[in-house]
Amino acid sequence: MRNDQEFHIAVMAGDGIGLEVMAPCLELLTAVCARAGGLALRFEAIESGATYYREHGTALSDENLARAAKADAILLGAMGLPDVRYPDGREIAPQIDIRMALDLFAGVRPVRSIPGLSGPLSDPRAQNLDFVLIRESTEGLFAAMGKTKIVDDKIAYDTMEITRAGSERLFDFAFDLTAKRKAAGSPGVLTCVDKANVFGGFAFFRKIFFERAAAFPEIEARAAYVDAMALTQIRNPWDLDVLVTENMFGDILSDAGAALIGGMGVAPSADIGASHAVFQPCHGTAPDIMGTGKANPTAMFLSAAMMLDWLGNRHGEAKAIEAGALLQDAVEAAFAGGDLRPFEMGGTNGLKDITARVSETIHLHSSSRT
Ligand code: ATP
């Protein structure tokens, strides 16, 4: 665990472009921590993923999971390859198993525009999106993972599970996060996204949401059906503040959120529990572009910035909060001129160009501060 000198970071680069975006991310992390008063990070590489599964017959060994659990935070690239599957046909997905194993119930997916990088919406208000999707990450439909019941090759059952305890802790986390954003100037509106008009499980989910809302009178609690929210996310996403939803719905809405700000390569995430947290880009291993230099590392950098901020707040370490802000500012400054455009957005800039520009910006920042 953390000692006075350093934070211990478990690094699970994984497969495909996960490996590609992790390497420069560690360099930038070291650079921003040096700028922020010499904060020290100790990286411990932990192997897991599809390639590891191919060689060892397990995607994440108990021993490696235990090593990761001892770290102050886990930084993850991406895992899985389409041709590496369990005998039942599912892709290996240790990044999901970790959420279950370490009880990382709150998947935090910020949808925040990067100035200079336009998404697909032409409305000028879409240039300044800033909302957060919180995805429940340990139950919901994903509770059925590995437990599918198929009867006589005729009918398949995947059972969604929504518990009171799981929902209460999720909503409390979401209300707290909404309150923090409100303190920083956001509207203070939390919307529960569900399908309570059709499923009893979601009616239960919504009921618990409004029960918990009573403990947070300063926050405006609303509810919306997921189909209506899909429409809102595209038609007027600038009206959104914080959304909280079930695992499967969050999986889908968060990719749509990534699209709004330009693509998977710019969408960061954090999976947070009571005593552990994993930070990783929203994207997968993107086998179609691995090895081409086209991977956009921005989401990885922003996830690392979220990690520093989380560590700083959790441990009362101002240097970590400062380092996280430096990294986030450097990413934003790198794109601000509008001339850096990732391949995934139709541009010509890939891993090297984007890393170089962010790195330059970090060094510029540091020389302008000294
Ligand atoms: P998963 O199934 O785990 O979501 P995936 O790699 O199949 O993984 P996504 O990560 O959702 O799917 O990515 C979809 C596509 O978006 C990729 O195939 C790739 O073309 C593009 N993409 C994803 N991440 C990046 C990135 N960081 N930089 C550039 N393009 C990306």
Side-chain angles (χ1 to χ4, degrees):
M1 294 304 285
R2 181 174 194 231
N3 62 38
D4 286 341
Q5 280 77 47
E6 62 188 14
F7 284 116
H8 171 199
I9 311 297
V11 177
M12 306 174 95
D15 308 294
I17 68 165
L19 288 160
E20 298 173 20
V21 297
M22 184 62 83
C25 181
L26 299 186
E27 284 173 24
L28 296 187
L29 272 173
T30 304
V32 287
C33 287
R35 303 294 166 264
L39 179 75
L41 301 183
R42 176 166 62 87
F43 299 125
E44 181 186 13
I46 295 183
E47 284 185 294
S48 65
T51 312
Y52 189 83
Y53 177 79
R54 221 166 6 208
E55 289 161 7
H56 297 87
T58 173
L60 174 61
S61 66
D62 290 346
E63 188 198 331
N64 282 350
L65 175 62
R67 282 168 61 209
K70 282 197 189 125
D72 294 308
I74 301 170
L75 194 59
L76 197 147
M79 294 180 187
L81 291 171
D83 57 335
V84 181
R85 291 175 184 262
Y86 293 119
D88 67 0
R90 288 175 304 125
E91 272 188 47
I92 69 105
Q95 69 280 18
I96 301 176
D97 303 333
I98 292 171
R99 288 176 205 154
M100 304 290 183
L102 301 183
D103 209 17
L104 310 177
F105 61 90
V108 179
R109 312 289 171 94
V111 180
R112 190 161 184 268
S113 303
I114 299 178
L117 271 188
S118 48
L121 302 183
S122 55
D123 189 302
R125 288 172 292 182
Q127 304 307 311
N128 297 301
L129 297 181
D130 180 11
F131 69 93
V132 181
L133 178 80
I134 300 171
R135 163 189 178 183
E136 201 294 323
S137 299
T138 54
E139 50 183 53
L141 192 52
F142 279 66
M145 262 175 51
K147 299 182 201 155
T148 304
K149 196 168 128 203
I150 301 180
V151 182
D152 295 336
D153 205 28
K154 290 199 174 82
I155 181 161
Y157 296 96
D158 283 321
T159 305
M160 183 177 70
E161 184 179 296
I162 291 178
T163 67
R164 170 170 284 281
S167 303
E168 284 182 349
R169 68 179 179 176
L170 173 79
F171 295 140
D172 286 355
F173 180 97
F175 279 110
D176 276 339
L177 188 139
T178 310
K180 278 194 197 108
R181 280 172 57 90
K182 188 177 181 189
S186 290
V189 177
L190 176 63
T191 306
C192 175
V193 182
D194 57 47
K195 194 68 185 167
N197 51 339
V198 176
F199 297 102
F202 280 117
F204 177 63
F205 189 67
R206 183 180 282 207
K207 177 174 80 108
I208 297 169
F209 174 74
F210 283 111
E211 282 171 15
R212 294 311 305 155
F216 301 88
E218 76 281 19
I219 300 303
E220 185 182 335
R222 295 183 187 164
Y225 300 131
V226 65
D227 42 346
M229 182 51 69
L231 185 78
T232 302
Q233 258 196 219
I234 293 167
R235 201 169 54 183
N236 45 333
W238 40 83
D239 289 341
L240 300 173
D241 186 2
V242 184
L243 311 178
V244 62
T245 191
E246 178 271 341
N247 210 338
M248 182 69 166
F249 288 165
D251 187 30
I252 298 165
L253 291 180
S254 66
D255 274 26
L260 289 172
I261 52 170
M264 300 304 290
V266 294
S269 82
D271 292 301
I272 297 178
S275 42
H276 301 279
V278 171
F279 299 83
Q280 66 174 119
C282 285
H283 62 74
T285 55
D288 55 330
I289 56 161
M290 70 186 190
T292 64
K294 291 185 177 175
N296 180 358
T298 304
M300 184 78 247
F301 300 162
L302 291 173
S303 304
M306 287 175 79
M307 177 185 78
L308 288 170
D309 188 67
W310 179 80
L311 281 169
N313 280 301
R314 185 174 171 80
H315 296 277
E317 176 55 89
K319 285 180 194 171
I321 296 174
E322 187 191 343
L326 271 173
L327 186 49
Q328 165 136 357
D329 289 353
V331 167
E332 291 184 4
F335 288 103
D339 60 328
L340 191 66
R341 192 145 188 93
F343 280 101
E344 65 173 334
M345 300 181 199
T348 55
N349 301 113
L351 187 81
K352 278 204 176 123
D353 292 346
I354 297 169
T355 302
R357 188 71 72 84
V358 177
S359 176
E360 270 165 35
T361 315
I362 290 169
H363 290 99
L364 271 179
H365 264 259
S366 72
S367 49
S368 63
R369 286 168 156 245
T370 49

